[in-house]
Amino acid sequence: MSTSEVACSYAALILFDDGIPITAEKISTLVKAANVKIDSYWPWSLRKAF
């Protein structure tokens, strides 16, 4: 797994635990707040998986 994939996965899990709908925008916001650099396609591709 790449760092981008792991970061987006953890962000999705955080959103799920808080009962917040999982969207690409919210995943991106959490990853940016963690100061992790990711490729722009990761949030969009992983939101469907979750």
Side-chain angles (χ1 to χ4, degrees):
M1 285 187 131
S2 69
T3 303
S4 298
E5 188 175 4
V6 171
C8 290
S9 296
Y10 280 137
L13 290 172
I14 289 168
L15 292 170
F16 177 78
D17 283 346
D18 288 342
I20 300 169
I22 299 171
T23 64
E25 293 83 16
K26 291 181 181 177
I27 292 172
S28 294
T29 300
L30 280 175
V31 171
K32 286 179 187 176
N35 200 25
V36 177
K37 305 294 183 204
I38 61 169
D39 295 324
S40 61
Y41 64 87
W42 278 112
W44 288 101
S45 63
L46 289 180
R47 72 174 166 82
K48 290 185 179 184
F50 290 102

